[in-house]
Amino acid sequence: MKVAVFGAGNQDLYVRHLNLPEKFGGEPPFGGSRMAMEFAEAGHDVILAEPNKNILEDEHWKIVEDTGVKVTDNDVEAASNAEIAILFTPFGKKTFEIAKNIISHLPDGGIISNTCTVSPVVLYYVLERELRRERQDIGIASLHPAAVPGTPYHGHYVIGGRATSGLELASEEQIQKCVELAESCGKTAYVVPADVSSTVADMGSLVTAITLSGVLDYYYVGTQIIKAPIEMVEKQILMTLQTVASLVESSGVDGMLKAINPELLVKSATSMHLLKEQEILDAALNMLSNLDDDVMKWIEKGEIKHTDLVAAQALTKELKNLMGGTAAEGTIRRCMRKMFE
Amino acid sequence: MKVAVFGAGNQDLYVRHLNLPEKFGGEPPFGGSRMAMEFAEAGHDVILAEPNKNILEDEHWKIVEDTGVKVTDNDVEAASNAEIAILFTPFGKKTFEIAKNIISHLPDGGIISNTCTVSPVVLYYVLERELRRERQDIGIASLHPAAVPGTPYHGHYVIGGRATSGLELASEEQIQKCVELAESCGKTAYVVPADVSSTVADMGSLVTAITLSGVLDYYYVGTQIIKAPIEMVEKQILMTLQTVASLVESSGVDGMLKAINPELLVKSATSMHLLKEQEILDAALNMLSNLDDDVMKWIEKGEIKHTDLVAAQALTKELKNLMGGTAAEGTIRRCMRKMFE
């Protein structure tokens, strides 16, 4: 397979800053350059585009090239033969620019794959004009390492499938091609809805994991111990998570914490300790009971801004009924971008 | 102060089912009857309305009455002198019926206080016609025990203040009166925005507490260790929580789990273990890695339904711009009720 990787990876962050070799194991180069190496070692024809030579040390460039990876500083050159073009590029606008720059150069049926720096949904909207007109053949499918490539934790890729909204960003064959590429270098391929991939694979997966453990703990206590109806338990989960999300959206984390009041929350949630073993709740209560003075002052200074606490899916449905599907689509899309961008 | 409590509390749930005397300590009667006793012991003039004599044993009724609480099976009688009418009544429609039944009988400036069985926002909307026309003097202010009254964990009341949406359900004096009642029986009074009170005080506070600990852990790791911009970190928090909330809304907990895939999530979130001590993340990963077969089968059978993942506050703003404030208000209100009801 002909593969292009854009962006070698910020070794300064991985090695000096995060000290990954000691914390997680593995050796530099980490990131995009390591992905390129692994693809080459699996027998693919790989080119790595990186305009900044200084991002890797010379000895690391040598390691990369020794695996057979071709290195270039020219994005268009890298794109011109790429069946799969993988963007291991910076957060935000830079990635949009590169994507817009390369799309017309990709071969027929090419795939643009995002990693952790952009949501596939946003990438789709950024490229929508091209994707709907000149390049209907191109697909967007995440090839998200969901870990730092080069560390032992990177044993998998997250590949974006059909979105929960029904949006199809890539054809079934294009998604399958990404699965094959991942598996060819011994990684597990997980296909998840494209619009859910960031939640399960980005930095914020830390929040997702802890939140899910809370949802499961409460679901068990609520339905099995308190024996409340499932519908009521699910409503409580929706209410709490939607409220926290919307308060963060309107007022930031400090404003949200001010509205919710951790001291009070500890007292309320203690009464939900109804099993002998609720390890996660114990840990959470322990943390929330021992916030240091700086954090308490930061919360105190938080500002609770205007918030309309609504169930988001109920609102998108109302909007479609009010405006009709097509007119509502534009509005929904803008609010989708606000969330993922 | 003249106080009426509606509903003595389901002792069968507290004692037989949840075994609270052993788990938490304290003695029956628990719940509304205990609140009434504590108010009476603090010197207030208290009446307890309970149509079902069998909900308490005879000896417990005696304990209640020995503190000076007057007991009646007539809601209207209880309401007729109540400066504060506290609804320790069943979930759902039953509480709406009682509230609608008593409102016209309350004295001038009376307060209706919800506990855990209804959101003050929903109660407001249910009573809105009366509150806007005949009884503009009545206020709605939670007096939510946020614990089971009668257990040692009940040292506080959650009182609903001005909502984050700006809605004022009660006057400042009415809110202050609730604070005074709480403090008169030695409880800490927490005034929180009325539309946030359920999230911090209901059963779901278990989810809120664990979620908040995850938000704080990630906020620290994201801004201090990875040194990502605050804005990016807050966006990730919004995205993850909004996604989980909306998937639960559209597809239930099982559908949400199917979309997110706990096995994959464990792999992703492990790479966010960047500090020596991340006790909550450890506990969450441990739980999510050891889901038993029944849970895995339940998730497997989950169905991912159509979901439009949008930032909810961005959407309410768009709606107001599109329709104008007044027209949007009705829609927002319906979606608020869908969340809290």
Side-chain angles (χ1 to χ4, degrees):
Chain A
M1 216 178 281
K2 291 194 169 76
V3 181
V5 178
F6 298 78
N10 182 350
Q11 307 304 312
D12 196 54
L13 172 68
Y14 296 135
V15 180
R16 246 166 297 231
H17 237 78
L18 299 179
N19 193 13
L20 293 187
E22 196 182 297
K23 264 186 195 144
F24 290 168
E27 281 175 12
F30 296 104
S33 44
R34 176 65 61 173
M35 284 167 66
M37 287 166 63
E38 291 175 350
F39 296 141
E41 284 162 350
H44 302 290
D45 185 356
V46 184
I47 185 163
L48 172 61
E50 174 56 69
N52 176 12
K53 271 277 163 201
N54 297 323
I55 205 166
L56 255 62
E57 291 172 24
D58 287 347
E59 55 168 323
H60 295 146
W61 281 121
K62 190 174 176 316
I63 296 174
V64 172
E65 288 177 314
D66 283 351
T67 61
V69 172
K70 185 175 173 194
V71 176
T72 178
D73 60 1
N74 185 328
D75 287 347
V76 169
E77 182 197 351
S80 61
N81 285 306
E83 293 166 72
I84 305 185
I86 302 165
L87 302 176
F88 202 88
T89 42
F91 287 94
K93 281 194 183 141
K94 191 73 199 158
T95 287
F96 300 165
E97 282 168 27
I98 296 169
K100 284 193 170 205
N101 183 34
I102 64 171
I103 186 166
S104 63
H105 301 282
L106 292 172
D108 191 55
I111 302 162
I112 301 180
S113 291
N114 68 290
T115 58
C116 58
T117 56
V118 63
S119 149
V121 178
V122 171
L123 195 55
Y124 175 83
Y125 288 139
V126 165
L127 299 174
E128 191 169 18
R129 233 187 46 170
E130 292 85 346
L131 291 170
R132 289 214 178 182
R133 293 185 196 173
E134 303 94 44
R135 297 305 305 264
Q136 295 183 21
D137 59 302
I138 299 286
I140 307 285
S142 310
L143 245 172
H144 194 313
V148 180
T151 65
Y153 292 147
H154 181 224
H156 57 294
Y157 278 101
V158 180
I159 293 156
R162 187 167 182 276
T164 63
S165 64
L167 192 65
E168 295 189 1
L169 309 181
S171 69
E172 196 43 57
E173 299 92 274
Q174 287 170 321
I175 293 167
Q176 206 43 47
K177 207 163 181 177
C178 291
V179 170
E180 277 165 31
L181 177 61
E183 291 178 345
S184 72
C185 35
K187 310 288 186 189
T188 310
Y190 292 96
V191 179
V192 304
D195 47 356
V196 175
S197 63
S198 301
T199 290
V200 73
D202 282 0
M203 292 194 293
S205 62
L206 167 53
V207 179
T208 314
I210 292 175
T211 299
L212 246 59
S213 71
V215 168
L216 282 164
D217 192 22
Y218 171 59
Y219 194 86
Y220 183 77
V221 169
T223 62
Q224 302 300 310
I225 308 298
I226 299 178
K227 298 196 192 296
I230 288 177
E231 214 188 329
M232 183 191 289
V233 169
E234 291 190 332
K235 265 285 168 73
Q236 287 265 318
I237 295 168
L238 164 62
M239 178 188 68
T240 54
L241 297 182
Q242 182 67 67
T243 298
V244 178
S246 284
L247 288 170
V248 170
E249 186 182 354
S250 67
S251 313
V253 171
D254 50 346
M256 176 276 288
L257 288 164
K258 184 162 183 174
I260 286 189
N261 191 337
E263 178 188 310
L264 164 59
L265 183 59
V266 167
K267 295 189 181 182
S268 305
T270 300
S271 288
M272 291 299 293
H273 205 306
L274 290 164
L275 300 171
K276 275 209 180 114
E277 301 274 326
Q278 278 176 273
E279 197 192 353
I280 295 144
L281 180 59
D282 287 335
L285 293 174
N286 183 33
M287 179 203 249
L288 296 173
S289 310
N290 292 292
L291 299 176
D292 67 29
D293 283 353
D294 288 349
V295 173
M296 294 306 283
K297 274 180 205 150
W298 171 66
I299 295 173
E300 193 43 53
K301 276 194 227 144
E303 198 189 328
I304 307 167
K305 295 186 185 150
H306 181 95
T307 316
D308 293 301
L309 294 172
V310 294
Q313 297 313 296
L315 190 54
T316 58
K317 259 186 219 153
E318 287 259 4
L319 194 76
K320 287 178 196 168
N321 288 340
L322 284 165
M323 301 173 70
T326 319
E329 205 192 319
T331 306
I332 288 174
R333 171 178 309 195
R334 279 194 296 280
C335 299
M336 203 172 267
R337 281 190 70 159
K338 284 234 169 83
M339 182 155 116
F340 287 110
E341 202 162 308
Chain B
M1 216 178 281
K2 291 194 168 74
V3 181
V5 178
F6 298 78
N10 182 348
Q11 306 305 313
D12 194 54
L13 172 69
Y14 296 136
V15 180
R16 245 166 297 229
H17 236 78
L18 299 178
N19 194 11
L20 294 187
E22 194 181 300
K23 264 186 193 143
F24 290 168
E27 280 176 12
F30 296 104
S33 45
R34 176 66 61 171
M35 285 166 67
M37 287 166 63
E38 290 175 351
F39 296 141
E41 282 162 349
H44 302 291
D45 186 355
V46 184
I47 185 162
L48 171 61
E50 175 54 69
N52 175 11
K53 271 276 161 196
N54 296 324
I55 204 165
L56 255 63
E57 292 172 22
D58 287 345
E59 54 168 326
H60 295 145
W61 280 121
K62 187 173 178 320
I63 295 173
V64 172
E65 288 177 313
D66 283 350
T67 61
V69 172
K70 185 175 174 197
V71 176
T72 177
D73 61 0
N74 185 329
D75 288 346
V76 169
E77 182 198 350
S80 61
N81 284 306
E83 294 166 71
I84 306 185
I86 303 165
L87 303 175
F88 202 89
T89 42
F91 287 94
K93 282 194 183 141
K94 189 74 199 157
T95 287
F96 301 167
E97 283 168 24
I98 296 171
K100 285 194 170 204
N101 183 34
I102 64 171
I103 186 166
S104 64
H105 301 283
L106 292 172
D108 192 56
I111 302 162
I112 301 179
S113 291
N114 69 288
T115 58
C116 59
T117 55
V118 63
S119 150
V121 178
V122 171
L123 195 55
Y124 175 84
Y125 288 140
V126 165
L127 299 174
E128 191 169 15
R129 233 188 46 172
E130 292 85 347
L131 291 170
R132 288 213 179 183
R133 294 187 196 171
E134 303 94 43
R135 298 304 306 262
Q136 295 183 25
D137 59 300
I138 300 285
I140 308 285
S142 310
L143 246 172
H144 193 314
V148 180
T151 65
Y153 292 147
H154 181 225
H156 57 294
Y157 277 101
V158 180
I159 294 157
R162 190 170 180 273
T164 64
S165 63
L167 192 64
E168 296 189 2
L169 309 182
S171 69
E172 196 42 60
E173 301 93 274
Q174 288 171 319
I175 292 167
Q176 206 43 49
K177 205 162 181 178
C178 292
V179 170
E180 277 165 33
L181 177 61
E183 290 179 345
S184 71
C185 36
K187 310 289 185 188
T188 310
Y190 292 96
V191 179
V192 304
D195 47 355
V196 175
S197 62
S198 301
T199 290
V200 73
D202 282 0
M203 291 194 294
S205 63
L206 165 55
V207 179
T208 314
I210 292 175
T211 299
L212 246 61
S213 71
V215 167
L216 282 165
D217 191 22
Y218 171 60
Y219 193 86
Y220 183 78
V221 168
T223 62
Q224 302 300 310
I225 308 299
I226 300 177
K227 296 197 193 297
I230 288 178
E231 215 187 329
M232 184 191 290
V233 170
E234 291 190 332
K235 265 283 167 76
Q236 287 265 318
I237 294 169
L238 165 62
M239 178 188 70
T240 53
L241 298 183
Q242 182 67 67
T243 298
V244 178
S246 284
L247 287 171
V248 171
E249 186 182 353
S250 67
S251 313
V253 171
D254 50 347
M256 177 276 289
L257 289 163
K258 184 162 184 175
I260 287 189
N261 191 336
E263 177 188 311
L264 164 59
L265 183 59
V266 166
K267 295 189 180 182
S268 303
T270 300
S271 287
M272 291 300 294
H273 205 305
L274 290 164
L275 300 171
K276 276 210 180 112
E277 300 274 326
Q278 279 177 272
E279 197 193 350
I280 295 144
L281 180 58
D282 288 334
L285 293 173
N286 183 34
M287 178 203 249
L288 296 172
S289 309
N290 292 293
L291 299 176
D292 67 29
D293 283 353
D294 287 349
V295 173
M296 294 305 283
K297 273 180 209 153
W298 170 65
I299 296 172
E300 193 43 55
K301 276 195 227 145
E303 198 188 330
I304 307 168
K305 296 189 183 147
H306 181 97
T307 316
D308 292 302
L309 294 171
V310 295
Q313 297 311 296
L315 190 54
T316 58
K317 260 185 216 152
E318 287 259 4
L319 194 75
K320 287 177 197 169
N321 288 340
L322 284 165
M323 301 174 68
T326 319
E329 205 192 318
T331 307
I332 287 175
R333 170 177 310 195
R334 278 194 296 280
C335 300
M336 202 171 269
R337 281 190 70 159
K338 284 233 169 82
M339 182 156 115
F340 287 111
E341 201 162 310

